[in-house]
């Protein structure tokens, strides 16, 4: 109980800032998930790319770069890694032979639900103490801040 009381009234200059608490929690949440992905030899950027590729049947590397707010060079490296890991394939577009569409392989389709379960487990680990209403409110507040500040880049590191 004493620990909660000391956190309620911070006596250290850093601890009075919401950004401090947000960064503290965020670093642990994202670091834990990145470590879990690393065990499967995947990066957060690769996980995000797989999700984008699954959602869009007509996505090209250029579209993916735009969606993830990354350079084409950075996306090219991610796409190459995912192709080497046999998670995705490149297929010529039926409309334009110069364009290559990205799609999940059967292995990628089997892997993605497992990765989502890992993300769910990570969320449960860090946010499981919050009830449904608290989680909803936290999500609403964070989304509101992202909207107000026009933050729409996908975090990949």
């Amino acid at each position: 109980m004493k620990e909660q009381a000391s956190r309620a009234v911070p006596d250290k200059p850093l601890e009075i800032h919401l950004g401090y608490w947000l960064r503290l929690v965020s670093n642990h949440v994202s670091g834990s998930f990145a470590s879990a992905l690393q065990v499967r030899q995947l990066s957060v950027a690769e996980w995000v790319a797989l999700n984008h590729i699954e959602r869009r049947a007509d996505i090209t590397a250029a579209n993916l770069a735009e969606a993830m707010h990354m350079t084409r060079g950075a996306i090219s490296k991610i796409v190459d890694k995912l192709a080497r890991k046999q998670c995705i394939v490149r297929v010529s577009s039926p409309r334009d032979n110069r364009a290559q569409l990205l799609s999940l392989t059967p292995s990628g389709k089997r892997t993605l639900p497992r990765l989502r379960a890992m993300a769910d487990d990570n969320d449960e680990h860090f946010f499981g103490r919050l009830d449904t209403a608290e989680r909803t409110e936290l999500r609403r507040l964070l989304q509101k801040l992202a909207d107000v500040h026009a933050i729409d880049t996908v975090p990949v590191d």
Side-chain angles (χ1 to χ4, degrees):
M1 187 72 175
K2 186 175 181 174
E3 183 179 320
Q4 286 180 343
S6 67
R7 286 194 177 191
V9 183
D11 59 352
K12 297 177 184 166
L14 285 176
E15 294 172 350
I16 65 169
H17 299 281
L18 290 174
Y20 168 84
W21 293 106
L22 187 60
R23 180 75 181 213
L24 178 71
V25 173
S26 176
N27 284 353
H28 286 274
V29 172
S30 58
S32 174
F33 185 57
S35 293
L37 287 173
Q38 191 172 32
V39 169
R40 291 187 164 257
Q41 299 177 342
L42 286 168
S43 68
V44 173
E46 291 167 339
W47 144 256
V48 171
L50 286 171
N51 279 279
H52 279 286
I53 293 166
E54 182 199 39
R55 281 191 299 229
R56 283 195 47 198
D58 63 342
I59 196 164
T60 64
N63 300 139
L64 186 59
E66 186 178 313
M68 292 178 61
H69 298 274
M70 296 180 82
T71 66
R72 288 184 183 199
I75 286 298
S76 178
K77 290 177 185 175
I78 290 169
V79 167
D80 288 345
K81 287 179 185 177
L82 290 171
R84 278 194 305 274
K85 294 172 185 176
Q86 299 181 345
C87 291
I88 65 166
V89 291
R90 298 174 182 100
V91 180
S92 293
S93 169
R95 286 176 265 176
D96 181 356
N97 286 341
R98 296 170 297 168
Q100 290 190 327
L101 304 179
L102 308 174
S103 63
L104 297 180
T105 62
S107 175
K109 289 177 184 176
R110 285 189 306 273
T111 299
L112 200 49
R114 293 181 196 130
L115 299 177
R116 287 189 180 129
M118 290 169 50
D120 292 343
D121 290 346
N122 194 63
D123 271 9
E124 186 59 31
H125 174 76
F126 284 98
F127 303 110
R129 290 284 181 111
L130 301 177
D131 64 33
T132 302
E134 289 170 324
R135 286 186 195 201
T136 300
E137 182 65 4
L138 179 58
R139 186 178 297 109
R140 186 190 71 74
L141 291 170
L142 293 172
Q143 286 174 337
K144 179 179 180 177
L145 290 172
D147 290 346
V148 165
H149 296 286
I151 302 168
D152 62 358
T153 54
V154 178
V156 294
D157 54 5

